[in-house]
Amino acid sequence: MPILLALSLAVATRVAAVQPSPGADRAAAMAIVNAALAGVSARNEAAVLAQLRPTGTATVLMEQADGSVTVRSFDLKAYAHAVPGPERYEERMLDPRIEIDDAMATVRGRYTFATDGKLQHCGFEHFELVRDGGRWKIQNITWSVRTKNCSG
């Protein structure tokens, strides 16, 4: 019986050592999203791509002037595409919520997007992350875009 107990404790200790603490896991998932948003703000395609899995989708819901909404989905890599220009971008996520279930996480919340300090649009973002090679990576992103009722 003592051998079985020792083996059980060894396995439990090893599993516990592999699993990060819930707070650290949440911080790590949020760090990936923040790195992607910083890459978008800096127009740094490589920085954004470093946070993405090679496959995945991006979906944007665009509110039109008449109140209708268009939905467009595309390859996740296109989300990283940097458009050169002199303008300074700033995308900020406001009060994000993070949920983790083992090797899967979601980060979601309101966001604002400004160009040269002027608010351009806002909406809601939803990032789906998966643990890939021991590191969080973004698998899918969905966000809405509206130009009315925005506050930062």
Side-chain angles (χ1 to χ4, degrees):
M1 190 62 126
I3 292 174
L4 184 57
L5 179 60
L7 285 174
S8 296
L9 287 174
V11 169
T13 302
R14 184 178 195 131
V15 169
V18 172
Q19 295 297 324
S21 72
D25 224 9
R26 291 168 55 86
M30 190 69 227
I32 296 301
V33 171
N34 284 337
L37 295 177
V40 168
S41 293
R43 295 180 175 194
N44 185 333
E45 190 168 342
V48 178
L49 284 171
Q51 313 315 315
L52 309 179
R53 292 202 69 235
T55 61
T57 58
T59 302
V60 59
L61 293 83
M62 302 272 301
E63 185 177 286
Q64 304 302 309
D66 66 2
S68 66
V69 175
T70 59
V71 179
R72 208 176 98 221
S73 292
F74 45 91
D75 185 83
L76 187 58
K77 290 177 192 170
Y79 174 79
H81 182 63
V83 178
E87 302 87 9
R88 185 180 55 84
Y89 289 164
E90 181 183 8
E91 185 169 359
R92 291 182 347 148
M93 204 165 187
L94 312 171
D95 193 27
R97 294 186 181 125
I98 305 164
E99 295 180 29
I100 299 198
D101 184 23
D102 195 28
M104 174 172 92
T106 61
V107 177
R108 58 191 168 90
R110 294 180 315 112
Y111 79 95
T112 59
F113 188 90
T115 303
D116 291 331
K118 182 180 177 203
L119 186 63
Q120 296 296 314
H121 64 267
C122 63
F124 192 84
E125 295 183 290
H126 182 267
F127 293 83
E128 295 175 355
L129 296 87
V130 295
R131 200 181 319 270
D132 186 7
R135 180 176 181 267
W136 290 112
K137 291 279 196 164
I138 298 169
Q139 178 65 44
N140 298 302
I141 306 170
T142 302
W143 72 100
S144 60
V145 175
R146 67 174 185 270
T147 57
K148 300 175 189 165
N149 302 319
C150 294
S151 62

